[in-house]
Amino acid sequence: MSNQSPDSRVHEQLARAVISGLLPERAHEQAAKLLTRLETPVRLALIGMPQSGKSTILNLLSGQNVVDSNTPLPTFEFVYGRTAQAICTLSDGTKAALEGVDMNEIARLSPAFVEIRMPLPALKKISVLEVVGPTDPNALHRASQWAAKRCDIAIWCTGDFPAIEQRIWTQMPDPLKDHALLLITRKDLLEQQGTLEDVHASVRATAAGEFNKIIPISARDAIAARAPDGAVDKERLRQSGGMALISAVLKQVDQGRRSALDLAEVLLLQNEGALADLDAVLAAGEEAENWGAPQDSGETASDDDAEDTSVSAFEDEGAEGDWDDEDDDGESLSIGDPETDDDLAETPTPVTDPLTNLRTPTMSPLNRREGREQPPAQGQEAEKVSMGIARLRNIAARRAEEGLQVAPAVDVLPETRKAYEHALSKIAANAAALSEELETLGDAAPAEVISRAVDDLNWLCDYLGTNGDDADPALQRARDTVFDAADLVQLMQLEKRDSAAIEALSLLVQVTRELQADLAA
């Protein structure tokens, strides 16, 4: 272990501490969340008015022209997967899985949300959420607030950041603004018109302090800088603004990882006493006989893993571009570099916990001890860490199969029962009030129904999140169900389909029936 970098060692020790079960309950929860952040790609959200260039930016960051802006799609998320697949969430809450990624086939299903999985190297570092909504400032406000809870980095795409967009952005959470980028899209057209300098100066004046960085960009030129054979015209990429964007995103990714590692190191130091017997516990029986030895995961590298032709598959040694306010420090700017991707595939990156919306107040790194090395684990060190973590996960899986970590089935616990009864009573009262108002609402009735459903489900999320018995498996299932339903109804609200009101009510009814079924068990 002496050849490991400090970052590799902290990551490995954190994984071992989580799997050992030796940490106190509160510390174990914190450690598990930190490990999740280290092992999950950073979530990035693309937000802005329709036709602001979001899909082209997504194609640039992912390294492949997957999304056609001419094909009508709902809000979707682009994530890593071993095979290409589209998971479509339909308006009734059911899901349909499509093999491959055919945008026309996806559009024919009229889903409310789509998760697109593809084996692209860039998606091992980031996932990309593109928020799609109508040309309506109120809808954009709702969409941006929804996305803010589901991302670590926000990218706002705009032409000139008009007043209506400024008002919407000022209401975004302040912690997210520290990790937000403003893209002035269609840089090439502004240059042709001779207005780029004026627009950029105006945007800088109105958006000062609201974003981490403001970047004029021509995403089409940046994509065109990539040749079919994977070669990249670095100068064209630099001039397009693509290099500045990639550098800014990767800087946020790296800062987030280092922040998580710092927090993990502090937690491990605080719990040294509890972890004194860590090696002995993990060495018991055959569970840790082959610690750190290569494991056959049954997975083989895909063609995309071995060869990357993304725009960002290069290392930069110069400045980010004419519009960059900071000098580049010479670090690698590659997302999915073909020379290092095998290492990066096994070096997890940070993310907010998707189930609890945990967000570190700041992603800037803590002050590190003097003399501590900075580089993240790579090569053999990263391989050893990932294999060790895989080994620990295998141990956990075997323990679960043997019943050592499976809680016995129990009825709804008293505190959870009390919370369910109060929640159902409140939802029923709200439904009765809405029923009396419907006749007077007229054409506004569908929108009001959806709005009330969103309010009810959001209230349920908050109420069940802080009430009931946290040790109750039924409550955990209910929290997941309500969270998913709230997400789906908010997406329906953005789409404004005629049938959305009925579908929203149906989802609310399904949730209440699940709570009633638990009470009756």
Side-chain angles (χ1 to χ4, degrees):
M1 195 176 293
S2 59
N3 291 328
Q4 286 182 289
S5 73
D7 286 347
S8 301
R9 192 176 305 116
V10 170
H11 188 180
E12 179 183 309
Q13 289 172 347
L14 179 67
R16 300 177 78 216
V18 168
I19 210 73
S20 71
L22 295 175
L23 289 170
E25 182 177 357
R26 178 61 178 165
H28 177 84
E29 292 176 0
Q30 294 173 337
K33 289 174 181 178
L34 285 172
L35 190 59
T36 297
R37 289 174 58 196
L38 285 167
E39 297 185 343
T40 313
V42 168
R43 298 177 306 171
L44 186 151
L46 293 169
I47 316 171
M49 295 295 284
Q51 307 302 315
S52 59
K54 298 188 297 292
S55 294
T56 311
I57 295 296
L58 184 147
N59 288 335
L60 168 63
L61 290 172
S62 65
Q64 187 165 319
N65 296 338
V66 178
V67 181
D68 181 358
S69 58
N70 295 320
T71 303
L73 291 175
T75 294
F76 61 92
E77 188 169 24
F78 214 38
V79 302
Y80 181 82
R82 282 288 177 180
T83 59
Q85 191 179 38
I87 310 298
C88 302
T89 301
L90 307 182
S91 57
D92 61 357
T94 60
K95 295 186 179 182
L98 303 177
E99 297 305 319
V101 179
D102 185 325
M103 294 301 170
N104 291 322
E105 187 176 0
I106 293 171
R108 280 195 292 271
L109 291 177
S110 299
F113 179 78
V114 184
E115 180 184 280
I116 298 175
R117 303 174 182 174
M118 294 196 73
L120 301 178
L123 299 179
K124 293 176 181 177
K125 287 189 176 183
I126 59 172
S127 64
V128 186
L129 174 71
E130 181 175 335
V131 180
V132 179
T135 308
D136 173 5
N138 292 328
L140 180 57
H141 169 69
R142 291 192 298 269
S144 61
Q145 293 295 318
W146 177 84
K149 300 175 183 177
R150 292 155 180 83
C151 70
D152 306 293
I153 302 171
I155 296 182
W156 189 279
C157 299
T158 187
D160 55 4
F161 203 49
I164 185 61
E165 294 183 26
Q166 295 172 32
R167 287 196 294 272
I168 293 171
W169 179 257
T170 57
Q171 299 176 64
M172 294 289 274
D174 287 335
L176 184 61
K177 292 179 181 179
D178 294 334
H179 315 295
L181 308 174
L182 177 63
L183 299 188
I184 304 173
T185 55
R186 299 181 175 85
K187 173 176 181 280
D188 52 338
L189 296 181
L190 294 175
E191 286 177 329
Q192 291 175 12
Q193 297 167 0
T195 59
L196 177 58
E197 291 187 8
D198 291 341
V199 169
H200 187 232
S202 174
V203 171
R204 286 173 63 93
T206 57
E210 289 290 310
F211 294 88
N212 183 276
K213 183 164 290 189
I214 300 171
I215 304 172
I217 184 171
S218 170
R220 294 187 185 280
D221 281 352
I223 291 173
R226 177 190 64 218
D229 63 358
V232 175
D233 183 338
K234 294 186 180 181
E235 184 56 32
R236 185 173 186 179
L237 190 65
R238 194 188 310 276
Q239 291 296 326
S240 70
M243 185 176 293
L245 171 60
I246 293 167
S247 176
V249 169
L250 284 179
K251 188 171 293 184
Q252 291 292 321
V253 170
D254 181 65
Q255 287 179 347
R257 174 175 173 77
R258 295 192 185 285
S259 176
L261 286 167
D262 280 324
L263 292 172
E265 184 175 25
V266 170
L267 186 146
L268 291 170
L269 289 172
Q270 289 174 337
N271 292 274
E272 280 184 319
L275 298 173
D277 297 329
L278 178 61
D279 290 339
V281 169
L282 293 179
E286 65 175 3
E287 290 183 338
E289 285 182 1
N290 298 317
W291 168 254
Q295 301 293 317
D296 183 5
S297 63
E299 296 180 340
T300 57
S302 65
D303 292 340
D304 297 276
D305 295 338
E307 183 177 353
D308 177 24
T309 59
S310 69
V311 164
S312 50
F314 66 94
E315 295 201 355
D316 178 59
E317 66 286 331
E320 295 176 356
D322 295 338
W323 295 107
D324 184 30
D325 295 330
E326 302 174 4
D327 291 333
D328 188 43
D329 56 10
E331 64 179 340
S332 168
L333 306 184
S334 74
I335 295 181
D337 191 321
E339 295 181 2
T340 61
D341 187 59
D342 289 338
D343 297 337
L344 294 171
E346 304 297 347
T347 305
T349 48
V351 72
T352 301
D353 186 336
L355 296 181
T356 61
N357 293 316
L358 171 72
R359 178 174 287 115
T360 306
T362 175
M363 290 178 69
S364 59
L366 301 174
N367 292 330
R368 308 175 80 86
R369 292 201 306 272
E370 184 176 354
R372 176 167 175 180
E373 297 176 30
Q374 294 290 330
Q378 290 195 4
Q380 294 181 349
E381 295 174 1
E383 183 178 6
K384 184 172 183 180
V385 171
S386 63
M387 288 178 177
I389 292 172
R391 178 60 178 166
L392 292 174
R393 293 197 180 284
N394 290 337
I395 294 171
R398 288 204 303 276
R399 284 179 175 172
E401 289 175 3
E402 295 166 1
L404 299 180
Q405 292 184 338
V406 178
V410 294
D411 295 331
V412 175
L413 299 179
E415 284 300 313
T416 301
R417 180 174 294 276
K418 182 179 178 181
Y420 279 14
E421 289 171 348
H422 176 71
L424 289 170
S425 175
K426 181 176 176 63
I427 296 299
N430 290 349
L434 177 61
S435 178
E436 294 179 359
E437 298 175 28
L438 281 179
E439 291 185 4
T440 63
L441 290 173
D443 293 341
E448 183 64 19
V449 167
I450 298 176
S451 178
R452 297 284 185 91
V454 169
D455 290 344
D456 283 346
L457 287 168
N458 282 338
W459 177 83
L460 265 178
C461 284
D462 294 339
Y463 181 75
L464 294 182
T466 55
N467 291 274
D469 192 325
D470 289 340
D472 194 337
L475 178 60
Q476 297 299 331
R477 291 195 304 271
R479 287 171 173 172
D480 291 344
T481 299
V482 173
F483 185 85
D484 290 343
D487 263 5
L488 188 54
V489 171
Q490 288 186 64
L491 288 167
M492 291 176 184
Q493 191 177 31
L494 296 179
E495 290 186 306
K496 294 188 174 181
R497 288 179 288 106
D498 293 339
S499 61
I502 296 174
E503 293 160 354
L505 281 179
S506 297
L507 277 174
L508 186 57
V509 169
Q510 287 178 30
V511 169
T512 57
R513 283 178 176 171
E514 288 197 27
L515 297 183
Q516 291 167 343
D518 280 349
L519 286 177

